[in-house]
Amino acid sequence: MSRWIPDGPAEEADMLRSLGLPSFDALFDDIPKGVRVARMGIGPGRTEPEVVADVDKILARNKPVSRFSNFLGGRISSRYLPAIVDALISRSEFLTSYTPYQPEASQGMLQALFEFQSLWVELSGLDVANASLYDGATAAGEAMLLCRRIHLGDRFLVPASLPWEEKSVLGNYGVGLGLKVAEIPFDPSTGRLDLEWVDREVRRGDVFGVLADVPNGFGLVDERVLDLKSTIGTVPLVVSADPLALTVLQPPGEYGADIVVGEGQGFGMALSFGGPLLGLMACRREHVRFLPGRLVGATQDVNGRRAYTLTLQTREQHIRRSRATSNICTNQSLVALAFVLYASSVGPTRLARLQADLAEKARALATALDGIEGLKVPRFTAPFLGEFTMELAQGNAVGFLDRMLAKGVLAGHSLSDPRRAVKSGPELVHVAPSQAANTADIRKYVKAAREALVPGPMGSA
């Protein structure tokens, strides 16, 4: 089929008549007008080269992250990608493998998924990992549902510091089942979890799961997470962990986590407007029947040779739809392959070194910002790893970040929930140096921050 299918007024009218719609605009009536773009401004009667030139002018208005000093973070990482990653995932046997859950899936793809699972098992310290989850936030949602399958209750506890986007996803996952998400308060000085509050809530008997993140939403390594399992007893513990941080931190399975989830984008995937992302998930062996997604196992064929096969698939193609456990995606196998290739090509020693470098940059920037009037850096006294949080004495975080952007610095992201009509609490900015950030970028950040904090014509907003 041609990539270009011509249509004219008659064909368009036929299509609209078939759809029962008065116009093409009516196709988008369910999308709020405020988020739609206006016409692209390409006039009629243009030649193809003229249209290409016009589109190129429009694309030139984009501002790629490479033009900025990048300290954005927010669970999404900008890292150097070894050329071997794209070279191998672009091979046709992987790139066009649409249905790798089918029996005819190649041994190569099955082995790649097995290696992907094995990597997350090793980092998480648990027994079994799956493949095919969308991203870290939905992996946390699936973990919440898994907790509900193995423990009764209607409340799921998460840190108040958890990013609001992830709390929103958890709320959406639970609404259909009548599950509630409650926020664990934190010590306003240290940023650590309030375990005494958790203990009281669990004793009420209606909590079916508790989630902690490592590092947490403030970038802190909260050592109180190590005591969380002994506090909640038989209630399942979910740890949402950064896979890079786990190259230098204790695996959550060693301190009692029943489920470990994470976001895998930083391992082999570019920013690409925020996607694709990759959900990571592992659990203890006794919960494997409740684990969503697909599991690849290793075995031997009739000739004694090592072979790989799909062992569990809790998906509606293979079981009764009413018993399907999750919302997953077959083609996440391609980004799972990128994860494996990235981790394998960089290697465990250099991954740990990368985390150490990011921690060193974060400490250098926090030290340089400390003492600037109008900033409290870091905001909390608990130790941080490769990212930290700072508080603005006046003005709001979004206004500050906009002024920093105008000076060529992606200075971080606001921790305020923009959906709340009334702001409450201090204005906090989360800062995470990228792998490319160097000493000059840190100096640029500090200089820009001094200037951005001075009330100017844009106001302190």
Side-chain angles (χ1 to χ4, degrees):
M1 178 183 290
S2 169
R3 63 174 180 161
W4 179 59
I5 302 174
D7 61 64
E11 289 82 3
E12 291 180 3
D14 282 345
M15 286 188 279
L16 290 173
R17 192 179 308 109
S18 176
L19 293 169
L21 295 173
S23 67
F24 281 107
D25 286 341
L27 281 170
F28 308 108
D29 279 348
D30 56 340
I31 300 175
K33 291 184 179 178
V35 300
R36 296 190 221 168
V37 297
R39 297 288 182 185
M40 295 180 66
I42 299 175
R46 310 277 283 172
T47 65
E48 184 170 336
E50 289 172 335
V51 171
V52 170
D54 287 345
V55 171
D56 283 343
K57 288 179 182 177
I58 295 171
L59 294 177
R61 287 152 52 189
N62 285 328
K63 296 178 179 178
V65 69
S66 57
R67 294 185 191 173
F68 297 89
S69 296
N70 182 13
F71 297 82
L72 194 55
R75 313 285 199 191
I76 305 296
S77 305
S78 175
R79 294 181 189 147
Y80 171 73
L81 297 182
I84 191 174
V85 175
D86 277 348
L88 290 182
I89 66 171
S90 299
R91 289 179 63 92
S92 60
E93 60 266 44
F94 296 124
L95 191 63
T96 63
S97 177
Y98 174 65
T99 55
Y101 60 87
Q102 302 285 22
E104 64 268 25
S106 72
Q107 284 293 298
M109 178 57 80
L110 289 174
Q111 180 179 356
L113 295 177
F114 181 82
E115 300 293 351
F116 165 72
Q117 294 171 183
S118 301
L119 275 168
W120 190 232
V121 162
E122 183 174 348
L123 288 171
S124 66
L126 289 181
D127 304 317
V128 185
N130 65 6
S132 63
L133 295 175
Y134 283 99
D135 55 27
T138 55
E142 298 292 347
M144 182 179 74
L145 299 185
L146 196 159
C147 288
R148 186 59 184 79
R149 295 182 197 113
I150 60 181
H151 200 282
L152 295 177
D154 62 6
R155 286 196 305 150
F156 189 67
L157 307 185
V158 303
S161 61
L162 193 71
W164 67 267
E165 298 94 333
E166 294 186 30
K167 284 186 279 194
S168 175
V169 171
L170 289 171
N172 289 335
Y173 264 74
V175 68
L177 298 173
L179 307 178
K180 301 170 185 173
V181 177
E183 297 186 10
I184 306 170
F186 57 87
D187 184 302
S189 175
T190 67
R192 294 184 174 96
L193 291 171
D194 184 343
L195 290 192
E196 290 72 26
W197 183 92
V198 174
D199 183 49
R200 288 195 301 272
E201 295 302 307
V202 168
R203 287 176 187 276
R204 289 174 51 179
D206 61 347
V207 174
F208 67 87
V210 177
L211 181 143
D213 48 349
V214 179
N216 72 12
F218 297 139
L220 306 173
V221 179
D222 182 357
E223 60 268 41
R224 301 203 81 183
V225 173
L226 302 178
D227 301 323
L228 199 47
K229 185 59 180 176
S230 62
T231 302
I232 65 177
T234 58
V235 173
L237 171 62
V238 180
V239 172
S240 176
D242 176 357
L244 186 64
L246 291 183
T247 62
V248 298
L249 297 177
Q250 187 178 4
E254 294 183 3
Y255 51 85
D258 299 283
I259 305 165
V260 179
V261 296
E263 171 53 61
Q265 176 273 332
F267 278 45
M269 282 144 273
L271 294 179
S272 301
F273 294 95
L277 306 178
L278 173 64
L280 307 169
M281 190 172 187
C283 72
R284 297 196 178 279
R285 186 177 300 277
E286 58 262 36
H287 306 315
V288 68
R289 286 286 177 182
F290 299 113
L291 190 65
R294 303 184 177 90
L295 278 69
V296 177
T299 184
Q300 289 185 337
D301 66 10
V302 293
N303 297 314
R305 295 175 301 188
R306 189 173 178 82
Y308 302 91
T309 183
L310 288 170
T311 55
L312 284 176
Q313 304 175 70
T314 54
R315 185 158 170 81
E316 60 270 24
Q317 287 98 334
H318 308 281
I319 61 177
R320 283 185 296 169
R321 182 175 295 273
S322 61
R323 296 181 63 83
T325 57
S326 61
N327 180 27
I328 58 176
C329 177
T330 299
N331 258 3
Q332 288 301 97
S333 55
L334 188 66
V335 282
L337 175 62
F339 184 99
V340 172
L341 292 169
Y342 177 84
S344 303
S345 58
V346 177
T349 302
R350 286 184 60 198
L351 284 171
R353 183 63 244 175
L354 171 58
Q355 178 61 83
D357 286 344
L358 293 175
E360 190 174 330
K361 291 174 184 176
R363 282 195 296 272
L365 178 58
T367 301
L369 291 170
D370 187 24
I372 294 181
E373 186 177 357
L375 288 179
K376 184 177 182 179
V377 188
R379 169 59 180 79
F380 302 102
T381 58
F384 60 86
L385 193 58
E387 52 202 78
F388 61 89
T389 295
M390 61 186 187
E391 179 181 336
L392 305 184
Q394 61 181 359
N396 68 34
V398 174
F400 171 77
L401 294 172
D402 284 347
R403 293 190 288 279
M404 292 290 283
L405 182 64
K407 297 175 186 299
V409 181
L410 284 166
H413 68 278
S414 168
L415 294 184
S416 300
D417 184 343
R419 302 168 305 174
R420 292 182 177 171
V422 179
K423 300 284 185 182
S424 61
E427 288 291 318
L428 302 177
V429 174
H430 184 269
V431 184
S434 70
Q435 183 179 4
N438 54 30
T439 303
D441 291 311
I442 291 174
R443 291 199 191 104
K444 183 177 180 180
Y445 191 112
V446 175
K447 180 176 183 294
R450 290 182 188 277
E451 296 168 355
L453 287 168
V454 177
M458 295 177 68
S460 56

